[in-house]
Amino acid sequence: MIIKTAEFVTSAVKPQQYPPADMPEIAFAGRSNVGKSSLINTLVNRKRLVKTSSTPGRTQLINFFIINEMFSFVDLPGYGYAKVPVTVKKKWGPMVETYLSERTSLEGVVLIMDIRRTPKQEELSFIDWLRHFNIPAILTLTKTDKLSKTKQKKQQMLISETLSVDKDDLLLFSAKSRHGKDKVWEAIESVSGNTEFCTPDP
Ligand code: GTP
Ligand code: MG
């Protein structure tokens, strides 16, 4: 995928604030600080399109980006960070559920998990939500650079059992080494029926 342009469009809480749903859209979700924003930046070859932070819970709004003036990426706020104020936590569920249920242009969600951690109830519930709304899920294990190849395989197996999915459905990724970037792009292209995602590299 050749990235010609990648632009921030707007931040939103409610559907009235979303940009028009006139392009195929892929959203990125996962626990706070897991590396959602870093994954988006890696996919689009930009260091700072999306703000990343070592302080968890920085992304608290739904952020919309337009790539190549053809499709849209959405950085969803992370869940599960204890220090986020209760008022923010209470808003997270309805904000994300409304987005998932109402966004007509949404073609798939990349759910990002830390390869070192066993998925918890939040991940299981999130996958259930996606199934319920009939939204294809791309399951990605990130920060693989933190583990040896052997440990990566072991964690991939363990996480696949916890989530009751095939281990090959868990894509391995690292924003640090950029390993797995092409696989994530391929998955995005395959969930999207839209050929805009599939512009071949020259
Ligand atoms: P919130 O928006 O706060 O929910 O976080 P986020 O999920 O967007 O995470 P972000 O991309 O901001 O990354 C959080 C921290 O993890 C940053 O310090 C990143 O540099 C680091 N990080 C993200 N991806 C990787 C990775 O693949 N490997 C390593 N080693 N660090 C990573
Ligand atoms: Mg973020």
Side-chain angles (χ1 to χ4, degrees), residues 9-55:
V9 183
T10 192
S11 295
V13 176
K14 313 180 255 193
Q16 301 91 292
Q17 300 163 330
Y18 300 167
D22 55 3
M23 298 179 194
E25 190 158 283
I26 294 286
F28 297 79
R31 194 169 285 275
S32 187
N33 211 41
V34 72
K36 297 173 292 298
S37 304
S38 303
L39 187 142
I40 298 177
N41 285 335
T42 307
L43 287 180
V44 300
N45 303 319
R46 297 289 189 278
K47 282 210 173 75
R48 277 177 288 274
L49 172 69
V50 192
K51 275 183 220 136
T52 62
S53 165
S54 51
T55 317

Coordinates of all heavy atoms in Angstrom, one line a residue, residues 9-55:
V9 N -8.9 14.2 10.6 CA -10.1 14.9 10.2 C -10.8 15.6 11.4 O -10.9 16.8 11.4 CB -11.1 14.0 9.5 CG1 -12.3 14.7 9.0 CG2 -10.5 13.2 8.4
T10 N -11.1 14.8 12.4 CA -11.8 15.4 13.5 C -11.9 14.4 14.7 O -11.6 13.2 14.5 CB -13.3 15.8 13.1 OG1 -13.8 16.6 14.2 CG2 -14.2 14.6 12.9
S11 N -12.2 14.9 15.9 CA -12.4 14.1 17.0 C -13.9 14.1 17.3 O -14.5 15.2 17.2 CB -11.7 14.6 18.3 OG -10.3 14.5 18.1
A12 N -14.5 13.0 17.8 CA -15.9 13.0 18.0 C -16.3 12.2 19.3 O -15.5 11.3 19.7 CB -16.6 12.5 16.8
V13 N -17.4 12.5 19.8 CA -18.0 11.7 20.9 C -19.3 11.1 20.4 O -19.5 9.9 20.5 CB -18.2 12.5 22.2 CG1 -18.9 11.7 23.3 CG2 -16.9 13.1 22.7
K14 N -20.1 12.0 19.8 CA -21.5 11.6 19.4 C -21.6 11.5 17.9 O -20.8 12.1 17.2 CB -22.5 12.6 19.8 CG -22.4 13.1 21.2 CD -23.5 14.1 21.5 CE -22.9 15.5 21.5 NZ -23.8 16.5 22.0
P15 N -22.5 10.6 17.4 CA -22.7 10.5 15.9 C -22.8 11.8 15.1 O -22.3 11.9 14.0 CB -23.9 9.6 15.8 CG -24.0 8.9 17.0 CD -23.4 9.8 18.1
Q16 N -23.5 12.8 15.7 CA -23.6 14.1 15.1 C -22.3 14.7 14.8 O -22.1 15.6 13.9 CB -24.4 15.1 15.9 CG -25.8 14.7 16.3 CD -25.9 13.9 17.6 OE1 -25.3 12.8 17.7 NE2 -26.5 14.5 18.6
Q17 N -21.2 14.3 15.5 CA -19.9 14.9 15.3 C -19.0 14.1 14.4 O -17.9 14.5 14.0 CB -19.2 15.0 16.7 CG -19.9 15.9 17.7 CD -19.5 15.7 19.1 OE1 -19.0 14.6 19.5 NE2 -19.6 16.7 19.9
Y18 N -19.5 12.9 14.0 CA -18.7 12.1 13.0 C -18.6 12.8 11.7 O -19.6 13.4 11.3 CB -19.3 10.7 12.8 CG -19.6 9.8 14.0 CD1 -20.4 8.6 13.8 CD2 -19.0 10.0 15.2 CE1 -20.6 7.8 14.9 CE2 -19.2 9.1 16.3 CZ -20.0 8.0 16.1 OH -20.3 7.2 17.1
P19 N -17.5 12.6 10.9 CA -17.5 13.1 9.6 C -18.5 12.2 8.7 O -18.9 11.2 9.1 CB -16.1 12.9 9.1 CG -15.5 11.9 10.1 CD -16.3 12.0 11.3
P20 N -18.8 12.7 7.5 CA -19.7 11.9 6.6 C -19.2 10.5 6.4 O -18.0 10.3 6.3 CB -19.7 12.7 5.3 CG -19.1 14.0 5.6 CD -18.3 13.9 6.8
A21 N -20.2 9.6 6.4 CA -19.8 8.1 6.2 C -19.7 7.8 4.8 O -20.4 6.9 4.3 CB -20.8 7.3 7.0
D22 N -18.8 8.5 4.1 CA -18.8 8.3 2.6 C -17.5 7.6 2.1 O -17.3 7.6 0.9 CB -18.9 9.7 1.9 CG -17.9 10.7 2.4 OD1 -17.0 10.3 3.2 OD2 -18.0 11.9 2.0
M23 N -16.8 7.0 3.0 CA -15.6 6.2 2.6 C -15.6 5.0 3.4 O -16.0 5.0 4.6 CB -14.3 7.0 2.9 CG -14.2 8.3 2.2 SD -12.6 9.0 2.7 CE -12.9 10.6 2.1
P24 N -15.0 3.9 2.9 CA -14.8 2.7 3.7 C -14.0 3.0 4.9 O -13.0 3.7 4.8 CB -14.2 1.7 2.8 CG -13.7 2.4 1.6 CD -14.5 3.7 1.5
E25 N -14.3 2.4 6.1 CA -13.7 2.8 7.3 C -13.2 1.5 8.1 O -13.9 0.5 8.1 CB -14.7 3.6 8.2 CG -14.1 4.2 9.4 CD -15.0 5.4 9.8 OE1 -14.9 6.5 9.2 OE2 -15.7 5.2 10.8
I26 N -12.0 1.7 8.7 CA -11.5 0.6 9.5 C -11.2 1.3 10.9 O -10.5 2.3 10.9 CB -10.2 0.0 9.0 CG1 -10.4 -0.8 7.6 CG2 -9.5 -0.9 10.0 CD1 -11.1 -2.1 7.8
A27 N -11.6 0.6 12.0 CA -11.4 1.2 13.3 C -10.3 0.4 14.1 O -10.2 -0.8 13.8 CB -12.7 1.3 14.1
F28 N -9.6 1.0 15.0 CA -8.6 0.3 15.8 C -9.0 0.4 17.2 O -9.2 1.5 17.8 CB -7.2 1.0 15.5 CG -6.8 0.8 14.0 CD1 -7.4 1.7 13.1 CD2 -5.9 -0.1 13.7 CE1 -7.0 1.5 11.7 CE2 -5.6 -0.3 12.3 CZ -6.1 0.5 11.4
A29 N -9.0 -0.7 17.9 CA -9.5 -0.8 19.3 C -8.6 -1.6 20.1 O -7.8 -2.4 19.6 CB -10.9 -1.3 19.3
G30 N -8.6 -1.4 21.4 CA -7.8 -2.2 22.3 C -7.6 -1.5 23.7 O -8.0 -0.3 23.8
R31 N -7.1 -2.2 24.6 CA -6.8 -1.7 25.9 C -6.0 -0.4 25.8 O -5.2 -0.3 24.9 CB -6.0 -2.8 26.7 CG -5.9 -2.7 28.1 CD -5.4 -4.0 28.7 NE -6.4 -5.0 28.7 CZ -7.3 -5.2 29.7 NH1 -7.3 -4.4 30.7 NH2 -8.3 -6.1 29.6
S32 N -6.1 0.4 26.8 CA -5.4 1.6 26.9 C -3.8 1.3 26.9 O -3.4 0.4 27.6 CB -5.7 2.3 28.2 OG -5.2 3.5 28.3
N33 N -3.1 2.1 26.2 CA -1.6 1.9 26.1 C -1.1 0.7 25.4 O 0.1 0.4 25.5 CB -1.0 2.0 27.5 CG 0.4 2.6 27.6 OD1 0.6 3.6 26.9 ND2 1.2 2.0 28.4
V34 N -2.0 0.0 24.7 CA -1.6 -1.3 24.1 C -0.8 -1.0 22.8 O 0.0 -1.9 22.4 CB -2.8 -2.2 23.8 CG1 -3.7 -1.6 22.6 CG2 -2.4 -3.6 23.5
G35 N -1.0 0.2 22.2 CA -0.2 0.5 21.0 C -1.1 0.7 19.8 O -0.7 0.5 18.7
K36 N -2.4 1.2 20.0 CA -3.3 1.4 18.9 C -2.8 2.5 18.0 O -2.7 2.3 16.8 CB -4.7 1.8 19.4 CG -5.4 0.8 20.2 CD -6.7 1.3 20.9 CE -6.4 2.3 21.9 NZ -5.7 1.9 23.1
S37 N -2.4 3.6 18.6 CA -2.0 4.8 17.8 C -0.7 4.5 17.1 O -0.5 4.8 15.9 CB -1.8 6.0 18.7 OG -3.1 6.3 19.4
S38 N 0.2 3.7 17.8 CA 1.5 3.4 17.2 C 1.3 2.5 16.0 O 2.0 2.6 14.9 CB 2.4 2.6 18.2 OG 2.6 3.4 19.3
L39 N 0.3 1.6 16.1 CA 0.0 0.7 15.0 C -0.5 1.4 13.7 O 0.0 1.2 12.6 CB -1.0 -0.4 15.4 CG -1.3 -1.5 14.4 CD1 -1.5 -2.9 15.1 CD2 -2.5 -1.2 13.5
I40 N -1.4 2.4 14.0 CA -1.9 3.2 12.9 C -0.7 4.0 12.2 O -0.5 4.0 11.0 CB -3.0 4.2 13.3 CG1 -4.2 3.4 13.9 CG2 -3.4 5.2 12.2 CD1 -5.3 4.3 14.4
N41 N 0.1 4.6 13.0 CA 1.3 5.3 12.5 C 2.2 4.4 11.6 O 2.6 4.8 10.6 CB 2.1 6.0 13.6 CG 1.4 7.2 14.2 OD1 0.6 7.9 13.5 ND2 1.7 7.5 15.5
T42 N 2.4 3.2 12.1 CA 3.2 2.3 11.4 C 2.6 1.9 10.0 O 3.3 1.9 9.0 CB 3.5 1.0 12.2 OG1 4.0 1.4 13.5 CG2 4.5 0.1 11.5
L43 N 1.3 1.6 10.1 CA 0.6 1.3 8.8 C 0.7 2.4 7.8 O 0.9 2.1 6.6 CB -0.9 1.0 9.1 CG -1.2 -0.3 9.8 CD1 -2.7 -0.4 10.0 CD2 -0.7 -1.6 9.1
V44 N 0.6 3.6 8.2 CA 0.6 4.7 7.2 C 2.0 5.4 7.1 O 2.1 6.4 6.4 CB -0.5 5.7 7.5 CG1 -1.9 5.1 7.5 CG2 -0.3 6.4 8.8
N45 N 3.0 4.8 7.6 CA 4.4 5.3 7.6 C 4.5 6.7 8.0 O 5.1 7.5 7.4 CB 4.9 5.3 6.1 CG 4.9 3.9 5.5 OD1 5.2 2.9 6.2 ND2 4.5 3.8 4.3
R46 N 3.8 7.0 9.1 CA 3.9 8.4 9.6 C 4.4 8.3 11.1 O 3.8 7.5 11.8 CB 2.6 9.2 9.6 CG 2.0 9.4 8.2 CD 2.9 10.4 7.5 NE 2.2 10.8 6.2 CZ 2.3 10.1 5.1 NH1 2.9 9.0 5.0 NH2 1.7 10.6 4.0
K47 N 5.3 9.1 11.5 CA 5.8 9.0 12.9 C 4.8 9.6 13.8 O 4.6 9.1 14.9 CB 7.1 9.8 13.0 CG 8.3 9.0 12.5 CD 9.6 9.3 13.3 CE 10.7 8.4 12.9 NZ 11.3 8.7 11.6
R48 N 4.1 10.7 13.4 CA 3.3 11.4 14.4 C 1.9 11.8 13.8 O 1.4 12.8 14.2 CB 4.0 12.6 14.9 CG 4.9 12.3 16.1 CD 5.7 13.6 16.5 NE 6.6 14.0 15.5 CZ 7.9 13.5 15.4 NH1 8.3 12.6 16.3 NH2 8.7 13.8 14.5
L49 N 1.3 10.9 12.9 CA 0.0 11.3 12.5 C -0.9 11.2 13.7 O -1.7 12.1 14.0 CB -0.5 10.3 11.4 CG -2.0 10.4 11.0 CD1 -2.2 11.7 10.3 CD2 -2.5 9.3 10.2
V50 N -0.8 10.1 14.4 CA -1.6 9.9 15.6 C -0.7 10.1 16.8 O 0.4 9.5 16.8 CB -2.2 8.5 15.7 CG1 -3.3 8.4 16.8 CG2 -2.8 8.1 14.3
K51 N -1.1 10.9 17.8 CA -0.3 11.1 19.0 C -0.2 9.8 19.8 O -1.2 9.1 20.1 CB -1.0 12.1 19.9 CG -0.6 13.5 19.5 CD -1.2 14.5 20.4 CE -1.7 15.7 19.7 NZ -3.0 16.2 20.1
T52 N 1.0 9.4 20.1 CA 1.2 8.3 21.0 C 1.7 8.8 22.3 O 2.2 9.9 22.4 CB 2.2 7.3 20.4 OG1 3.5 8.0 20.3 CG2 1.8 6.8 19.1
S53 N 1.6 8.0 23.3 CA 2.0 8.4 24.7 C 2.4 7.3 25.6 O 1.8 6.2 25.5 CB 0.9 9.2 25.3 OG 1.1 9.4 26.6
S54 N 3.3 7.5 26.4 CA 3.6 6.4 27.4 C 2.7 6.6 28.6 O 2.6 5.7 29.5 CB 5.1 6.5 27.9 OG 5.3 7.9 28.3
T55 N 1.9 7.6 28.6 CA 0.8 7.8 29.7 C -0.4 7.1 29.1 O -1.0 7.6 28.2 CB 0.5 9.2 29.9 OG1 1.7 10.0 30.0 CG2 -0.3 9.4 31.2

